[in-house]
Amino acid sequence: MARHVYKITSKKLPRFRFMAMSKLIGLIAFAFVFMITVYAMHEMHITGNYDSLPQLIISAFGFASIYSGFYLTMAKVEHVEEERTLREKELAHLKKAKNKDEEEIQDKRTEIEQLKQNINDTISQSTQNLL
């Protein structure tokens, strides 16, 4: 009877992510707003006083618009970050290649710097919009 000995390696296993954190935050927040809305509408129906209904509707849509802005800004930053990482990998590949074309390497460096500046501009613009 042969025994197999399995060696445990130090490789990192890929982490399983149920959902992106920004989507999870949005899901929880919208569920919370939905519960508050249902409760408030139930109380308004019982009391017969519907004076706070417009304020409830406006606040729910306000929250949805703020979250949408946050989510779209984060998606834009993540997209630009992925592009920058891709350009950095291409630059590393060009540096390792035998035929080094300095012009092409310089073009990649310029693209990487432009993408870094684009990330900084997006973040600063979104923080200015909050103020």
Side-chain angles (χ1 to χ4, degrees), residues 40-91:
M41 291 181 77
H42 175 71
E43 288 297 319
M44 283 186 267
H45 179 69
I46 289 174
T47 60
N49 184 3
Y50 296 103
D51 292 337
S52 60
L53 185 60
Q55 185 178 4
L56 180 65
I57 292 171
I58 290 170
S59 63
F61 279 101
F63 173 77
S65 65
I66 289 172
Y67 175 73
S68 299
F70 162 76
Y71 184 75
L72 292 174
T73 302
M74 290 307 297
K76 183 177 181 181
V77 168
E78 288 173 1
H79 175 70
V80 173
E81 185 69 26
E82 287 175 7
E83 288 292 323
R84 184 183 65 84
T85 304
L86 179 66
R87 298 299 190 278
E88 286 176 348
K89 287 180 182 177
E90 290 174 357
L91 179 63

Side-chain angles (χ1 to χ4, degrees), residues 76-113:
K76 183 177 181 181
V77 168
E78 288 173 1
H79 175 70
V80 173
E81 185 69 26
E82 287 175 7
E83 288 292 323
R84 184 183 65 84
T85 304
L86 179 66
R87 298 299 190 278
E88 286 176 348
K89 287 180 182 177
E90 290 174 357
L91 179 63
H93 180 69
L94 284 175
K95 286 182 178 179
K96 288 181 182 178
K98 298 288 183 196
N99 53 354
K100 294 181 180 179
D101 185 13
E102 285 298 322
E103 183 178 324
E104 192 173 355
I105 290 174
Q106 189 60 35
D107 288 344
K108 291 294 178 189
R109 286 183 181 152
T110 305
E111 288 178 10
I112 291 170
E113 289 301 319

Side-chain angles (χ1 to χ4, degrees), residues 4-67:
H4 295 285
V5 177
Y6 296 102
K7 184 178 180 183
I8 298 175
T9 61
S10 64
K11 289 183 183 177
K12 286 188 174 182
L13 296 175
R15 290 180 19 179
F16 174 72
R17 285 179 37 164
F18 173 69
M19 185 181 293
M21 186 57 75
S22 58
K23 290 180 183 176
L24 184 62
I25 291 170
L27 185 66
I28 292 169
F30 277 115
F32 187 66
V33 167
F34 179 74
M35 290 186 320
I36 290 173
T37 304
V38 168
Y39 174 74
M41 291 181 77
H42 175 71
E43 288 297 319
M44 283 186 267
H45 179 69
I46 289 174
T47 60
N49 184 3
Y50 296 103
D51 292 337
S52 60
L53 185 60
Q55 185 178 4
L56 180 65
I57 292 171
I58 290 170
S59 63
F61 279 101
F63 173 77
S65 65
I66 289 172
Y67 175 73

